[in-house]
Amino acid sequence: MATGRTHRPATRSRGIPEATVARLPLYLRALTALSERSVPTVSSEELATAAGVNSAKLRKDFSYLGSYGTRGVGYDVEYLVYQISRELGLTQDWPVVIVGIGNLGAALANYGGFASRGFRVAALIDADPAMAGKPVAGMPVQHTDELEKIINDNGVSIGVIATPAGAAQQVCERLVAAGVTSILNFAPTVLSVPEGVDVRKVDLSIELQILAFHEQRKAGEDAAAEAALPAVARDDAAIEAAADDVAASRKGPDGDVPAVMPA
Amino acid sequence: MATGRTHRPATRSRGIPEATVARLPLYLRALTALSERSVPTVSSEELATAAGVNSAKLRKDFSYLGSYGTRGVGYDVEYLVYQISRELGLTQDWPVVIVGIGNLGAALANYGGFASRGFRVAALIDADPAMAGKPVAGMPVQHTDELEKIINDNGVSIGVIATPAGAAQQVCERLVAAGVTSILNFAPTVLSVPEGVDVRKVDLSIELQILAFHEQRKAGEDAAAEAALPAVARDDAAIEAAADDVAASRKGPDGDVPAVMPA
DNA sequence: TGCTGTGAAACAGTTCACAGCG
DNA sequence: CGCTGTGAACTGTTTCACAGCA
């Protein structure tokens, strides 16, 4: 996912699978909603539906945390909220800095969900001197020169990069050098970081491309179904059967690139 | 990931694994950069480094697309760009609508990478009548009332939801009813969609929580390493050996919750 | 009885390691 | 010789199905 070690190294630490960790926030959100409606207990089935997963997966996930349910009844909402929060480290306060206060950075700064769960925006940082001092989300933007000082003074260990792609790696290095060990990267670049630093990336354009892939496939299937075209390149049966031929014939360093589309 | 079917159903279509699809955009970006620098060929090793993956994985990924490389040489950059673009469906034009033109929606509208690869913002839609007509990213915001008409007139099949959480499900339903079959959801909600509609979600708060989890763990490890505590729960050997005991002892609806950290 | 917790099976994804081609 | 392409081993994840507890 990222350049360095995104997932924990060999160590495997304590045995909560990464896939489970990625779902805990989902459960937490659903539980928080239930908690606000003062629902006392919830079954794996109900909670799973609310979180958009299936109940077996949810139960398995929870089993990694311990046995927090009651057979024949379900889970105590408040108790689970606490346990998951603790597991995720949300019972403590995480100061974060946002670097790059353009459209996106401003959007992030204004994002409410940020503050809600243990995260606190410690500073907004931008390289543009004209931005310095300007208030965004009720907070003055600070200049990049202050970066190291800010990180240190606030004990920041999580940084959010919302700069243009060109600046991201450099900002990343300064963050890491200053002591940041977790980075959320919104810039469309692969960041390279030293061992021990976690990077997660959020990339709009990648998400769209994945959707386009599936969308194209749907269109292909529809066409095949409706028009009953003969041997479209996406046709399953044809591909399966001719896999080797395709592999062989598809070769060629340039010349024989199919006109535009496999027609 | 989403409520409905995020991954394709049983069909499995043609055999490109989902994990591979998710990496194709990464390769494409790296290749595009090489292409701009007029690099003619690239080895799996080089390209893998640029994309932030390992070379075996990259070769395996490409093997699903066909045999596009030359042994002893590497891959032809232009040719691969074309093949991956085609595979992702980026050789065609994808009109998208963005619904919810707040901070985030505006950021997305202004995001350049959007337009670059086959995606075209067909319309910006917002429920606030005061927004209607206001230009954002050189484009007038249109009112939600127009949603169905816009989708239809432009043949939009991909929608981006950047509304507040409360409005997301409703917007989603209108999009789907109007013919949208792929949705990129930025609202912190689980969307439920009918069979056949793909949803991908981007959720800042979830990403931060995952980082916090790892961050917390690091802090725990540091403490363990520095203080050289005896039988830390993080010790691999101990875990492996006592896995069952741990599972058993972890029980208890409240009382014996370990103090603060696995110490 | 109704639910959780969990082994065991099935599946998906990654890594290894090397055969084979240019 | 250097690199791709890929079976085979492995690791991680999901699903199944049911034993066992409240």
Side-chain angles (χ1 to χ4, degrees):
Chain A
M1 197 158 272
T3 305
R5 315 233 108 270
T6 297
H7 304 315
R8 281 2 279 314
T11 327
R12 269 226 63 195
S13 306
R14 210 234 265 123
I16 301 186
E18 190 58 30
T20 296
V21 172
R23 280 187 297 266
L24 292 181
L26 230 51
Y27 301 144
L28 186 54
R29 180 176 292 156
L31 284 164
T32 305
L34 291 172
S35 171
E36 274 160 13
R37 290 168 38 215
S38 303
V39 177
T41 59
V42 65
S43 71
S44 64
E45 195 64 60
E46 294 165 324
L47 184 53
T49 303
V53 303
N54 76 45
S55 63
K57 198 187 280 183
L58 177 142
R59 287 201 303 279
K60 181 63 102 180
D61 283 342
F62 286 179
S63 81
Y64 294 116
L65 310 184
S67 299
Y68 294 149
T70 308
R71 289 164 203 245
V73 178
Y75 301 91
D76 181 282
V77 172
E78 295 302 329
Y79 185 62
L80 247 195
V81 165
Y82 168 74
Q83 290 299 343
I84 295 179
S85 298
R86 191 175 51 81
E87 198 64 58
L88 286 170
L90 304 180
T91 48
Q92 65 190 276
D93 181 70
W94 294 104
V96 308
V97 293
I98 302 176
V99 187
I101 312 302
N103 274 295
L104 179 60
L108 297 178
N110 279 294
Y111 176 51
F114 227 136
S116 72
R117 287 246 148 248
F119 301 98
R120 180 171 51 82
V121 179
L124 307 178
I125 303 178
D126 198 280
D128 182 358
M131 287 291 292
K134 276 180 61 178
V136 169
M139 193 168 218
V141 174
Q142 293 178 266
H143 189 263
T144 323
D145 291 347
E146 311 291 326
L147 191 143
E148 286 77 10
K149 182 170 168 19
I150 295 167
I151 304 280
N152 264 286
D153 291 357
N154 294 275
V156 173
S157 56
I158 301 180
V160 177
I161 297 181
T163 64
Q169 180 61 44
Q170 204 188 75
V171 166
C172 173
E173 280 160 21
R174 285 184 65 182
L175 287 173
V176 170
V180 166
T181 45
S182 287
I183 290 176
L184 183 50
N185 180 31
F186 285 85
T189 333
V190 174
L191 293 180
S192 76
V193 293
E195 174 86 7
V197 175
D198 278 331
V199 178
R200 296 193 65 88
K201 71 167 183 310
V202 172
D203 194 317
L204 166 63
S205 139
I206 286 182
E207 298 300 326
L208 279 177
Q209 289 175 46
I210 296 171
L211 284 177
F213 172 85
H214 293 302
E215 199 56 42
Q216 182 191 41
R217 183 138 303 183
K218 282 181 213 163
E221 273 164 18
D222 291 354
E226 281 161 25
L229 295 176
V232 185
R234 337 207 107 278
D235 183 309
D236 272 2
I239 288 287
E240 232 77 294
D244 304 50
D245 303 336
V246 171
S249 70
R250 233 187 235 152
K251 295 236 62 182
D254 54 8
D256 58 358
V257 178
V260 180
M261 283 259 130
Chain B
M1 199 155 271
T3 305
R5 312 235 108 271
T6 296
H7 303 316
R8 278 6 274 313
T11 327
R12 267 227 66 195
S13 306
R14 209 236 262 128
I16 302 186
E18 191 58 31
T20 295
V21 172
R23 280 187 296 265
L24 291 180
L26 230 51
Y27 301 145
L28 186 54
R29 179 175 292 156
L31 283 164
T32 304
L34 291 172
S35 171
E36 274 160 13
R37 290 169 38 213
S38 303
V39 176
T41 58
V42 65
S43 71
S44 64
E45 196 64 58
E46 294 165 325
L47 184 53
T49 304
V53 303
N54 76 47
S55 64
K57 198 186 281 185
L58 177 143
R59 288 202 303 279
K60 183 64 106 179
D61 283 343
F62 285 179
S63 80
Y64 294 115
L65 310 184
S67 298
Y68 294 148
T70 308
R71 288 163 203 246
V73 178
Y75 300 90
D76 181 280
V77 172
E78 295 301 329
Y79 185 62
L80 247 196
V81 165
Y82 169 75
Q83 290 299 345
I84 295 178
S85 297
R86 190 176 53 78
E87 197 64 58
L88 286 172
L90 303 180
T91 48
Q92 64 191 275
D93 181 72
W94 294 105
V96 307
V97 294
I98 302 176
V99 187
I101 313 302
N103 274 295
L104 178 61
L108 297 177
N110 280 293
Y111 175 51
F114 227 134
S116 72
R117 287 245 147 248
F119 301 97
R120 181 171 51 80
V121 179
L124 307 178
I125 303 177
D126 199 281
D128 182 357
M131 287 291 292
K134 276 180 62 177
V136 170
M139 194 170 220
V141 174
Q142 294 178 266
H143 190 262
T144 323
D145 291 347
E146 311 290 325
L147 190 145
E148 285 77 10
K149 182 171 169 18
I150 295 168
I151 304 280
N152 265 286
D153 291 357
N154 294 276
V156 173
S157 57
I158 301 180
V160 177
I161 297 180
T163 65
Q169 180 62 43
Q170 203 188 77
V171 166
C172 172
E173 279 160 22
R174 285 183 66 181
L175 288 172
V176 169
V180 165
T181 47
S182 287
I183 290 176
L184 183 50
N185 180 31
F186 285 86
T189 333
V190 175
L191 292 180
S192 76
V193 294
E195 175 86 8
V197 176
D198 278 331
V199 178
R200 296 193 63 88
K201 70 167 183 307
V202 172
D203 194 319
L204 165 64
S205 139
I206 286 181
E207 298 301 325
L208 279 178
Q209 288 175 48
I210 296 171
L211 284 178
F213 173 85
H214 292 303
E215 198 57 42
Q216 182 191 41
R217 184 138 303 183
K218 283 181 213 161
E221 272 164 19
D222 291 354
E226 279 161 26
L229 298 173
V232 187
R234 343 198 107 277
D235 184 309
D236 269 2
I239 288 288
E240 233 76 293
D244 304 51
D245 303 335
V246 172
S249 70
R250 229 186 240 151
K251 292 234 58 181
D254 53 11
D256 58 358
V257 179
V260 180
M261 286 256 133

